Amino acid sequence: GVLARAMLIADRRLTFVEGTVRRSVGAAIVEVSAGRESNGGSAAHAQLLGKIGRVYVNAEALIATDFHLRGGEAESLREGRVAVDVPLHVGKAAVPFHTEAHFVDRTDGTRMLEAATRLSANIERFNLGADFRYRKDYLPGGTGPPGEFRVGLLGSGHIGDVRLRGQADFNVSPSASFRSVELSAYWTAT
């Protein structure tokens, strides 16, 4: 498809044209798009969403040169993102496993890497989950500040008529610290 749009960004009128092609390839959908702005900015985006065996994959790439992404300031960058979902089985328990990575490389020399993994399991009447997150910013000519690593734990379930929910978040690096905890119990009178 083709789209043409005029927008007002920071009190400036901007017109852009975008073309998109989407096709099914086996068990996957592939989309490729390109856009051009009246200021000369351009962008290209490609995405693959599909299932390979038991693994669900979502991968995308973006290249922008002086382009107003998401209605914000004009940016020049290269960006890649990949996410994978796999249903793991441990004994009789199904353990959904999700992992993703995101990398941004800007023309000013700054870069950013984010990665995350989530695991969850259902054990009898309880749902348990763990979330691991990492972020690292890189500066031009150096490594930048140390990476940040966080861990989150989540649990919910029933004991009799009482529904329980608990959540805890921790910083692991650059310095270990406790971020927050939440415990709640709900009971409904019938």
Side-chain angles (χ1 to χ4, degrees):
V2 176
L3 170 71
R5 182 181 298 181
M7 298 185 301
L8 191 61
I9 297 177
D11 294 329
R12 283 187 38 208
R13 185 182 171 131
L14 185 67
T15 304
F16 78 92
V17 177
E18 178 182 353
T20 303
V21 175
R22 184 179 300 153
R23 292 286 178 253
S24 294
V25 179
I29 295 176
V30 177
E31 179 179 279
V32 177
S33 61
R36 181 93 173 153
E37 293 181 338
S38 56
N39 71 341
S42 61
H45 178 260
Q47 182 173 13
L48 168 99
L49 178 63
K51 185 177 178 186
I52 301 169
R54 294 178 38 224
V55 179
Y56 294 90
V57 177
N58 183 0
E60 60 183 300
L62 170 70
I63 298 172
T65 304
D66 197 27
F67 196 81
H68 293 82
L69 299 169
R70 301 173 240 347
E73 293 293 319
E75 294 185 71
S76 295
L77 57 80
R78 294 178 297 174
E79 182 175 5
R81 183 183 309 261
V82 64
V84 176
D85 289 277
V86 182
L88 301 177
H89 295 280
V90 179
K92 293 182 181 181
V95 180
F97 175 79
H98 172 84
T99 189
E100 60 188 69
H102 177 213
F103 182 74
V104 178
D105 184 9
R106 295 181 181 85
T107 56
D108 66 2
T110 60
R111 296 174 292 152
M112 185 269 306
L113 172 66
E114 289 180 315
T117 297
R118 284 190 298 279
L119 299 164
S120 57
N122 187 338
I123 301 171
E124 295 189 19
R125 295 175 293 182
F126 289 93
N127 297 314
L128 305 172
D131 181 50
F132 305 92
R133 298 194 167 275
Y134 177 78
R135 179 185 171 113
K136 173 85 172 143
D137 291 303
Y138 298 90
L139 301 175
T143 59
E148 300 171 5
F149 181 53
R150 296 183 181 175
V151 174
L153 304 172
L154 176 67
S156 65
H158 290 272
I159 296 178
D161 291 336
V162 178
R163 175 155 175 77
L164 302 170
R165 184 179 187 284
Q167 178 177 334
D169 292 305
F170 305 90
N171 287 334
V172 177
S173 69
S175 62
S177 64
F178 179 71
R179 291 176 51 87
S180 66
V181 67
E182 176 186 320
L183 296 171
S184 55
Y186 304 94
W187 172 69
T188 304
T190 54

